[in-house]
Amino acid sequence: MRWTFVWKTVVLGGVIITLAGCASVKREAGFGDVRRLAGDRTGQTVRWNQGSSQDDEVASAVRVLLAKELTADEAVQIALLNNRSMQATYEELGIAQADLVQAGLLTNPIFSISARWTDGGPGGTNLELGITQQFVDLFALPLRKKIAAARFEQTKLRVAGEVVSVAADVREAFYRLQGAEQMLELRRSVLDAAAAGVDASQRLRDAGNITDLNLATEQATLEQARIDLSQGEADVLEDREHLTSLLGLWGNDVGFKIGQHLPDLPATDVPNEGLEAIALRQRLDLLSMQAQTKSLAQSLGLAKKFALLPDVQIGVDSEREPDGSWMTGPNLSVPIPIFDAGQAATGKARAELRQSQHAYYAKAVTVRSQVRAAVNRLSITRRRAIQYRDVLLPLRQRIVDQTQLQYNGMLTGVFQLLQAKRDQIETGTQYLSTLRDYWIARVDLERAIGGNFPGAMPVTQPTARPSDEVAQSAEHQHH
Amino acid sequence: MIPIDRNHVSRRDALSLAALAGGAMLLKNTPSRAEDATENRKTEIDVNKTYPPGEPGRDYTPVTIPNGWALPYTVVDGVKVFHMVAEEVDHEFAPGLRAHCWGYNGSVHGPVIEAVDGDRVRIFVTNKLRTHTTVHWHGILLPSGMDGVGGLSQKTIAPGETYVYEFPLRQHGTFMYHSHYDEMTQMGMGMTGLFVIHPRDEQRKRPDRDFALLLHEWRIDPGTYRPNPNEMTDFNTLTINAKVFPGTAPLVVKLGDKVRIRIGNLSAMDHHPIHLHGYVFKVTETDGGQIPEAGQWPETTVLVSVGSTRTIEFVADNPGDWAMHCHMTHHVMNQMGHGIPNMIGVKPGDLDEKLRPLLPGYMTMGQDGMGDMADMGMPTLPNSIPMLGAQGPFDYITMGGMFTILKVRENLASYDQDPGWYENPPGTRALLASDEVLRQNGIANDGSSAPRLNTTKVNAPSVAATQSVVPAREHDMKDMNMSDSTPQIYTCPMHPEVISDKPGKCPKCGMKLVKKN
């Protein structure tokens, strides 16, 4: 008869366990959403290397890309596939997913047993057995799962945001390097022009037509320019390293080649309308803060609901008296909320909620400002680049042409001709610098609005609400 | 005071007396020293008499004005009336070079005013410039108020006004006229001209050909369309009658003609030594008047100073095409630049290849001077002409600027037509020496048979010292062997001008050459 109680306990436990469900942590948890969120905003695919055969496909895809001159998009693609710290970031999903699962798990019941012997007195051993179970869990579970799901959502948004951010960083580093290499090339031809001038001076000296002082002066100017150029070369190498590390490359791969020319200014500029609204809709850090607010609201709900009864334990225990009889019965323990009625916990949750709301609005204002600033910078840089390209560069060409005509008429000498050429190349360098600044300003604007420009790529919003997400994952878990 | 013994006149005394008397008689016929000074300006006319206006042909042979013209006149009440208009003129210096200048009556320079000693002239000057002006009659004797110095002789002629100058001519010769208000600008822009006064009843034989030339200098930067009158030292366009060669019309004469060439110079800053090939001429007149025959200066080059005129005469007894030009070498080039590096002797090596990627049209030029420049056909600035000249009968004539040609022909159809190039009679032209001629005369084509003065080559001193440590040419320090760079030279103790780079004998005296330290 006493065994029926034990069985009851076991059955009770089993029911509880069944209710809890055999939740397990899935791999690739939520990555599909990250892929979609990031893909919509960057136009790139992302891969979470799980140690499967698919990793080799990724590696060979990267190889194929590295074989030729990279475009900005291809560099971003390589980074998203190859950068190990991205992979580390993806694991946060696993962590958050685990938290989600954890939230759905009931606390394990606690089985206790104790035995006592009399110290010289009549009778046998006193045995106590008991099983207790957290009771509030059962009711709190759905709410806890909602909170965890909201946090999971937040993590997904954060990870996707990280992807978008890295994509922007790679783009910026790419344009910076591309511009720097292109400008270095031009500076080398300025140096060539200067060297040609010194060559001419040397020949004049050899013919006995100029003084040693003239020649030495020309040579000194050239050699100083050479030294200045080598500093420029060092700067380019640093820019290159920055990109290399973003792409996650090392060893033989550091010799990758990028396209030799910055892309031209696009024919029309981006439309300025509605960019602030797009940013507010699209920016993952804002969405992440929204998700955080939601989860804090749910935490507040939880705190309010279970403020008074945070912890109730029920159980069954059975005791064998020294005389051999078993005493079995349920037990219940309840903290009496005299001192702590949960007001602090609630207050804290409320404050945290309000805080996150304020933070969200503040961020929204900042985001708007960032968008405006980026738009202005882009437009000004574009105008400057156009001024260089359409006005000043043609003028420099005209100057070179006219100087050549003067040279042909023996009205000016070869040095003036070379100087006109050097001035032209210098202006070309400034144009390239402005063009590079334009593309980087564009990346900044994309950062400000949280993704590619509308029209470039359709951007979908994370429409699924966290609770739906949880329901779907719960269904899957039963298979 | 010759001591004469009253009582006794010796033969010696008589001779002395006779000499004195004769001398006194001679002296009486010869004007005094003060009169001497005026002799050259002495007019043949009677200043108190009124003369009818001199007519061309009857009273004078009109001057020939290459590239120019004479101002026509009307006669009103026995006075020659001329009308000048001071205005902006677009002027062509030579085909391919035009500029916005200032001149008179649509031309630069202004038309030649031609008159006769004794004429009374009335000259109206209408000012169509946007600023004031005057006209000064350079070298002409006239009342102070007609002299044309703005502010001093007269009130300046305001834009739109017409002033009248009137004075009798009491001299003959070659004179000039020019603005005398803001001269640097107005003369620099071209407001100058010649004023020729023929003698009345010319006692000397009239020349067969009488040319009038006015020299001037300008600064017109290639690619610009206006002379810069502010230029003081660096003039690049030198003109005869406001033309540069090849724009200058030739002076055409027949063999045997008595030729007179009047040359005036109203350049801003430069005198011009005008050299005529093929002839010795006499300088017969200045703007002061005729030089007596005994004082006429034989020359092949006459220096015409700024503000002066010189007239030369000769008989054209040597047929051919004779260059006549300013002998300042820079004045026979067009629009040259002076700021260019000296490229003579420079070996371009691979410089052109190095520069072509940067400057596709580049070519090293000038290593052998400017002669090859002229017909290179390279594109150059608009409104500019090649520095040097024009195609001649045999080759390119590397001249420009103040250069023209005197063409003397035995058979001449007309003075007004260019007779073309001179055909040299056989045997009178420098030709390539044929092998036979070389051999007959013992001449080696490579120059080795020519006697030479031995000299060491002039090097840029110590070539080694100019090698920098910068590896621009990758010279090793051990290449800088100082002792090799200065070769030992030898000289004659008697003739220090004899220099040789190896020991031997002096070619002048046969002594052994010694080392020069």
Side-chain angles (χ1 to χ4, degrees):
Chain A
M1 186 174 28
R2 55 184 174 254
W3 289 113
T4 53
F5 269 114
V6 176
W7 271 116
K8 273 184 200 162
T9 316
V10 172
V11 166
L12 185 62
V15 166
I16 290 169
I17 286 168
T18 314
L19 272 176
C22 35
S24 59
V25 181
K26 240 178 33 165
R27 305 216 65 153
E28 276 270 346
F31 193 67
D33 280 338
V34 168
R35 193 183 293 127
R36 187 173 44 81
L37 287 168
D40 287 345
R41 283 159 178 73
T42 64
Q44 307 283 354
T45 61
V46 286
R47 253 344 161 83
W48 187 0
N49 294 344
Q50 310 264 309
S52 67
S53 62
Q54 289 177 327
D55 294 0
D56 294 334
E57 282 174 29
V58 170
S60 59
V62 169
R63 265 290 80 80
V64 165
L65 285 170
L66 283 176
K68 54 188 177 62
E69 280 185 2
L70 299 173
T71 63
D73 284 340
E74 285 169 354
V76 171
Q77 186 61 79
I78 291 177
L80 296 180
L81 294 177
N82 204 41
N83 188 324
R84 281 309 262 271
S85 58
M86 289 309 310
Q87 300 296 326
T89 310
Y90 299 154
E91 294 296 337
E92 282 190 37
L93 292 169
I95 296 169
Q97 162 83 336
D99 287 344
L100 179 60
V101 168
Q102 179 73 50
L105 300 174
L106 286 174
T107 330
N108 291 326
I110 299 178
F111 172 72
S112 63
I113 180 167
S114 69
R116 288 187 209 95
W117 293 265
T118 51
D119 186 18
T125 22
N126 171 257
L127 210 59
E128 273 189 57
L129 295 164
I131 290 181
T132 43
Q133 171 68 46
Q134 292 261 18
F135 187 63
V136 173
D137 269 9
L138 219 51
F139 302 101
L141 203 66
L143 210 49
R144 278 213 203 102
K145 274 161 71 168
K146 276 195 196 142
I147 295 170
R151 289 216 190 95
F152 186 42
E153 203 52 37
Q154 201 184 325
T155 305
K156 275 192 265 181
L157 290 167
R158 203 178 58 248
V159 169
E162 190 63 27
V163 171
V164 172
S165 168
V166 165
D169 286 347
V170 169
R171 241 204 186 82
E172 179 178 334
F174 183 89
Y175 289 137
R176 209 173 277 287
L177 178 63
Q178 198 173 40
E181 281 187 348
Q182 215 177 337
M183 283 192 283
L184 190 68
E185 211 35 59
L186 277 192
R187 292 224 170 89
R188 283 206 188 97
S189 50
V190 171
L191 199 66
D192 287 344
V198 172
D199 188 317
S201 295
Q202 181 70 57
R203 293 176 195 281
L204 279 165
R205 177 79 186 129
D206 289 343
N209 293 13
I210 60 169
T211 63
D212 207 6
L213 174 63
N214 282 346
L215 178 61
T217 308
E218 296 281 322
Q219 283 172 330
T221 309
L222 173 67
E223 296 306 325
Q224 182 63 52
R226 239 193 262 283
I227 289 172
D228 292 343
L229 185 73
S230 77
Q231 179 58 48
E233 285 170 339
D235 292 342
V236 168
L237 288 173
E238 276 194 39
D239 285 342
R240 198 179 169 82
E241 270 319 308
H242 183 57
L243 182 62
T244 310
S245 74
L246 277 173
L247 298 185
L249 298 173
W250 53 280
N252 289 337
D253 292 332
V254 303
F256 65 90
K257 299 242 176 309
I258 65 172
Q260 285 188 341
H261 296 117
L262 282 168
D264 287 332
L265 277 182
T268 52
D269 209 354
V270 293
N272 290 349
E273 302 305 311
L275 286 177
E276 286 179 42
I278 290 170
L280 293 177
R281 258 199 340 261
Q282 187 177 265
R283 264 181 84 143
L284 288 165
D285 53 355
L286 268 182
L287 294 173
S288 173
M289 288 175 86
Q290 241 180 25
Q292 186 188 43
T293 305
K294 279 197 192 113
S295 90
L296 285 173
Q298 313 220 326
S299 298
L300 177 61
L302 183 71
K304 283 202 313 217
K305 246 192 185 153
F306 296 96
L308 291 178
L309 285 177
D311 190 12
V312 173
Q313 293 190 18
I314 58 164
V316 169
D317 63 58
S318 190
E319 189 177 345
R320 197 184 83 158
E321 298 290 335
D323 62 2
S325 65
W326 284 88
M327 304 270 307
T328 306
N331 65 47
L332 173 76
S333 62
V334 176
I336 300 185
I338 300 179
F339 304 114
D340 180 2
Q343 64 271 43
T346 316
K348 178 170 167 182
R350 213 176 259 125
E352 279 173 348
L353 175 62
R354 277 201 305 269
Q355 181 187 55
S356 86
Q357 283 169 334
H358 288 312
Y360 176 80
Y361 281 116
K363 186 78 177 167
V365 169
T366 307
V367 161
R368 279 177 180 273
S369 169
Q370 281 174 351
V371 170
R372 283 192 304 270
V375 164
N376 286 337
R377 212 161 349 114
L378 185 66
S379 136
I380 287 171
T381 312
R382 182 189 166 83
R383 277 206 301 275
R384 204 164 71 229
I386 288 175
Q387 176 76 2
Y388 269 115
R389 183 191 66 188
D390 293 345
V391 177
L392 196 50
L393 276 178
L395 270 177
R396 288 275 175 220
Q397 181 61 48
R398 195 174 165 73
I399 290 171
V400 169
D401 291 340
Q402 287 294 315
T403 311
Q404 179 74 61
L405 290 181
Q406 297 246 347
Y407 174 81
N408 290 349
M410 289 188 97
L411 299 155
T412 192
V414 64
F415 299 108
Q416 285 90 329
L417 194 50
L418 284 170
Q419 183 63 52
K421 191 70 193 173
R422 291 215 296 269
D423 289 345
Q424 181 192 33
I425 298 173
E426 193 52 49
T427 302
T429 313
Q430 288 163 7
Y431 165 64
L432 282 177
S433 168
T434 309
L435 187 59
R436 178 204 58 191
D437 288 348
Y438 172 81
W439 286 108
I440 291 176
R442 216 174 140 106
V443 170
D444 281 343
L445 183 52
E446 286 174 350
R447 275 199 189 105
I449 67 169
N452 289 354
F453 287 110
M457 203 64 55
V459 179
T460 58
Q461 307 306 316
T463 51
R465 286 168 297 150
S467 47
D468 290 345
E469 184 81 303
V470 171
Q472 278 168 24
S473 61
E475 274 175 59
H476 285 140
Q477 281 154 22
H478 279 280
H479 288 104
Chain B
M1 200 55 190
I2 300 172
I4 296 179
D5 187 336
R6 253 179 235 174
N7 299 319
H8 180 28
V9 181
S10 73
R11 197 170 51 166
R12 208 179 86 213
D13 295 334
L15 270 172
S16 315
L17 207 60
L20 261 178
M25 270 175 17
L26 278 169
L27 278 171
K28 198 172 111 191
N29 285 338
T30 318
S32 71
R33 195 172 285 268
E35 279 176 291
D36 255 353
T38 58
E39 160 99 355
N40 292 338
R41 281 188 352 204
K42 194 164 115 177
T43 180
E44 288 128 11
I45 63 161
D46 182 347
V47 296
N48 298 312
K49 197 171 145 197
T50 311
Y51 289 85
E55 282 176 34
R58 187 193 74 187
D59 297 313
Y60 66 93
T61 306
V63 292
T64 304
I65 311 160
N67 300 112
W69 59 305
L71 187 60
Y73 61 87
T74 56
V75 176
V76 175
D77 296 332
V79 175
K80 272 191 186 161
V81 174
F82 298 88
H83 187 187
M84 290 168 62
V85 179
E87 58 187 2
E88 294 188 17
V89 177
D90 262 7
H91 174 67
E92 180 185 272
F93 287 87
L97 177 60
R98 295 192 73 88
H100 310 306
C101 303
W102 292 357
Y104 299 95
N105 300 62
S107 77
V108 175
H109 301 288
V112 174
I113 296 181
E114 212 168 0
V116 178
D117 195 352
D119 282 348
R120 190 172 180 83
V121 294
R122 185 179 297 146
I123 308 173
F124 291 87
V125 177
T126 300
N127 181 8
K128 282 204 177 145
L129 300 172
R130 289 183 303 192
T131 180
H132 296 237
T133 193
T134 66
V135 181
H136 163 66
W137 315 100
H138 182 107
I140 297 183
L141 307 169
L142 35 64
S144 175
M146 293 293 174
D147 196 35
V149 178
L152 182 64
S153 322
Q154 62 168 93
K155 198 157 152 46
T156 58
I157 313 172
E161 289 180 347
T162 302
Y163 268 48
V164 58
Y165 298 82
E166 183 166 337
F167 44 90
L169 299 177
R170 293 176 291 143
Q171 73 215 111
H172 55 267
T174 308
F175 310 96
M176 303 184 281
Y177 65 83
H178 57 85
S179 162
H180 218 290
Y181 172 81
D182 188 12
E183 277 172 85
M184 180 196 85
T185 305
Q186 299 201 357
M187 286 178 72
M189 291 296 286
M191 299 191 73
T192 53
L194 287 168
F195 198 132
V196 172
I197 308 180
H198 295 275
R200 195 167 288 267
D201 306 326
E202 176 155 12
Q203 286 162 10
R204 296 167 292 150
K205 181 179 179 305
R206 287 192 210 168
D208 298 306
R209 297 289 279 149
D210 192 344
F211 296 96
L213 308 176
L214 182 58
L215 309 175
H216 208 285
E217 63 191 0
W218 320 69
R219 167 72 184 263
I220 307 174
D221 286 339
T224 66
Y225 296 82
R226 199 180 299 270
N228 181 2
N230 304 316
E231 182 56 50
M232 187 161 132
T233 52
D234 198 1
F235 297 94
N236 65 358
T237 305
L238 289 308
T239 59
I240 301 174
N241 284 352
K243 297 284 184 188
V244 295
F245 185 78
T248 49
L251 281 61
V252 178
V253 310
K254 222 175 354 203
L255 185 64
D257 277 348
K258 183 171 174 201
V259 179
R260 175 189 290 160
I261 307 180
R262 310 160 185 264
I263 311 169
N265 181 11
L266 282 176
S267 299
M269 299 291 287
D270 291 316
H271 317 308
H272 298 295
I274 301 296
H275 174 59
L276 173 62
H277 294 215
Y279 288 92
V280 170
F281 50 76
K282 293 261 179 75
V283 181
T284 57
E285 278 182 25
T286 68
D287 47 344
Q290 286 170 245
I291 302 173
E293 208 164 324
Q296 288 175 358
W297 192 252
E299 261 294 4
T300 63
T301 304
V302 54
L303 181 67
V304 187
S305 315
V306 175
S308 305
T309 71
R310 296 284 179 267
T311 303
I312 65 173
E313 293 179 25
F314 57 95
V315 174
D317 55 6
N318 196 358
D321 285 341
W322 301 107
M324 185 163 114
H325 60 91
C326 176
H327 216 285
M328 293 188 172
T329 58
H330 287 236
H331 288 183
V332 285
M333 299 183 80
N334 294 326
Q335 293 179 306
M336 179 177 156
H338 294 101
I340 58 176
N342 179 10
M343 297 298 281
I344 308 278
V346 170
K347 295 191 176 49
D350 58 358
L351 183 62
D352 285 26
E353 276 167 49
K354 279 188 200 163
L355 285 179
R356 289 257 173 72
L358 296 164
L359 298 160
Y362 175 77
M363 194 168 90
T364 304
M365 298 189 295
Q367 306 93 288
D368 302 307
M370 308 254 181
D372 296 334
M373 269 297 303
D375 55 355
M376 261 179 189
M378 296 168 84
T380 183
L381 295 159
N383 202 41
S384 69
I385 45 179
M387 236 187 309
L388 302 172
Q391 190 63 32
F394 303 106
D395 216 336
Y396 204 82
I397 303 176
T398 57
M399 305 293 284
M402 201 174 277
F403 177 96
T404 188
I405 303 173
L406 175 78
K407 296 191 175 185
V408 183
R409 299 286 185 275
E410 189 167 351
N411 303 310
L412 196 64
S414 147
Y415 281 131
D416 298 323
Q417 269 177 348
D418 187 334
W421 301 111
Y422 181 66
E423 301 205 358
N424 295 281
T428 67
R429 181 157 75 91
L431 294 171
L432 184 68
S434 68
D435 289 341
E436 177 155 342
V437 164
L438 289 172
R439 197 175 38 78
Q440 278 173 358
N441 288 277
I443 302 291
N445 194 22
D446 63 356
S448 56
S449 57
R452 43 186 303 107
L453 187 64
N454 274 332
T455 58
T456 52
K457 269 180 84 88
V458 175
N459 272 332
S462 305
V463 172
T466 71
Q467 292 170 359
S468 60
V469 292
V470 171
R473 307 206 129 222
E474 266 134 29
H475 271 130
D476 225 336
M477 286 300 278
K478 68 174 159 60
D479 286 352
M480 292 169 58
N481 191 344
M482 301 295 263
S483 61
D484 284 348
S485 61
T486 41
Q488 180 61 56
I489 50 180
Y490 299 83
T491 185
C492 171
M494 276 269 285
H495 299 102
E497 71 273 15
V498 171
I499 310 270
S500 171
D501 52 2
K502 54 185 189 300
K505 285 198 160 61
C506 171
K508 294 193 175 178
C509 64
M511 278 179 69
K512 186 155 165 247
L513 296 177
V514 297
K515 280 192 195 172
K516 188 172 164 140
N517 51 336

